[in-house]
């Protein structure tokens, strides 16, 4: 993306001056996945610019990405969602699931969450350094778990939100195996990671498969944001599609 902007800067003083010919010029050397990813990024850039009033027209509206370039994943089924709801039997489980299902938090970020990352009066939460609003579902799960935490381990020195009988004796996070085994693995193989990915995919489906929006909301890299956007676009274009492939991020 930076390369494109640098090319345009030599002859254009503002994004609103970019034409479809300028877009064609930077895309012309690209083929395959590189071209598909560039088209996706440019569409996202100009949609963002129009929403912010930086441009009046979108010079990428005519572009068509190569079919098959995006990875396809499928949303969780109703049965899988019910299995997750049934598995959330304890305050700790409900909190971990809420963090994955609402904030798309990675298991490692859930383990690393500390009390300092929580701003209850301001209704904010910082996950892996990314501050975001604290939704009602997560807030309620958090309050329930913190009550349980205080009652069970009132004198612990640990500042981590999630603690266990073992981790409460020290200051480190709970183990990865604890989160994966006790909290993160549910019926039919649904895990916290599966829930997290479904959250991002649902956001992509609800917001027009905009990778820039996904990157800003979930603090994910542009490559993964474009992969989720491509998967959502495939589902929107072909609702009956049943093939799946894993997005690795």
């Amino acid at each position: 993306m930076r390369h494109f902007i640098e090319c345009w800067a030599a002859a254009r003083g503002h994004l609103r001056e970019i034409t479809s010919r300028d877009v064609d010029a930077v895309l012309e050397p690209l083929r395959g996945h590189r071209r598909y990813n560039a088209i996706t990024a440019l569409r996202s850039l100009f949609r963002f610019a129009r929403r912010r009033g930086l441009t009046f027209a979108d010079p990428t509206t005519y572009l068509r990405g190569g079919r098959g370039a995006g990875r396809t994943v499928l949303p969780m089924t109703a049965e899988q969602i019910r299995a997750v709801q049934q598995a959330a039997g304890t305050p700790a489980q409900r909190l971990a699931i809420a963090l994955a299902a609402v904030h798309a938090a990675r298991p490692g970020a859930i383990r690393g969450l500390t009390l300092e990352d929580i701003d209850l009066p301001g209704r904010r939460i910082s996950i892996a350094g990314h501050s975001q609003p604290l939704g009602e579902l997560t807030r309620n799960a958090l309050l329930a778990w913190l009550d349980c935490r205080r009652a069970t381990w009132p004198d612990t020195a640990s500042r981590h939100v999630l603690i266990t009988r073992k981790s409460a004796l020290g200051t480190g996070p709970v183990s990865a195996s604890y989160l994966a085994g006790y909290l993160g693995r549910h019926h039919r193989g649904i895990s916290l990671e599966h829930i997290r990915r479904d959250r991002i995919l649902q956001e992509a489906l609800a917001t027009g498969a905009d990778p820039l929006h996904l990157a800003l909301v979930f603090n994910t890299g542009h490559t993964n944001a474009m992969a989720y956007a491509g998967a959502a676009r495939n589902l929107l274009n072909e609702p009956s599609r049943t093939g799946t492939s894993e997005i690795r991020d």
Side-chain angles (χ1 to χ4, degrees), residues 56-140:
F56 304 115
D58 183 352
T60 68
T61 53
Y62 71 98
L63 293 175
R64 295 292 179 269
R67 293 311 304 269
R71 296 173 183 172
T72 302
V73 293
L74 293 177
M76 288 171 61
T77 65
E79 182 182 5
Q80 289 172 328
I81 293 172
R82 283 194 297 271
V84 171
Q85 292 171 338
Q86 293 169 2
T90 69
Q93 287 174 323
R94 286 192 286 272
L95 175 58
I97 291 171
L99 290 169
V102 177
H103 302 275
R106 298 174 183 273
I110 295 173
R111 292 175 56 231
L113 193 68
T114 67
L115 298 176
E116 286 71 27
D117 294 324
I118 308 298
D119 178 8
L120 288 173
R123 292 179 176 258
R124 303 286 297 181
I125 185 171
S126 181
I127 299 175
H130 178 52
S131 178
Q132 52 193 283
L134 180 63
E136 195 66 21
L137 177 65
T138 310
R139 185 175 182 273
N140 290 341

Side-chain angles (χ1 to χ4, degrees), residues 10 163 177 179 214 217 236 244:
I163 58 176
S177 60
L179 197 65
L214 299 178
V217 170
L236 290 170
T244 63

Side-chain angles (χ1 to χ4, degrees), residues 112-220:
L113 193 68
T114 67
L115 298 176
E116 286 71 27
D117 294 324
I118 308 298
D119 178 8
L120 288 173
R123 292 179 176 258
R124 303 286 297 181
I125 185 171
S126 181
I127 299 175
H130 178 52
S131 178
Q132 52 193 283
L134 180 63
E136 195 66 21
L137 177 65
T138 310
R139 185 175 182 273
N140 290 341
L142 183 62
L143 289 172
W145 164 246
L146 290 178
D147 285 344
C148 177
R149 184 186 188 277
R150 281 190 293 268
T152 309
W153 300 284
D155 301 320
T156 181
S158 176
R159 302 300 294 171
H160 286 88
V161 173
L162 279 180
I163 58 176
T164 64
R165 181 174 58 183
K166 183 177 180 180
S167 71
L169 300 176
T171 57
V174 298
S175 68
S177 60
Y178 164 78
L179 197 65
Y182 176 60
L183 294 181
R185 184 64 62 182
H186 306 301
H187 300 300
R188 301 184 183 277
I190 304 301
S191 65
L192 288 175
E193 183 62 20
H194 192 154
I195 297 168
R196 181 187 77 84
R197 292 178 178 178
D198 183 77
R199 171 66 180 95
I200 301 175
L201 180 59
Q202 292 294 343
E203 183 75 15
L205 290 169
T207 57
D210 184 350
L212 184 57
H213 173 81
L214 299 178
L216 291 173
V217 170
F218 298 113
N219 196 34
T220 189

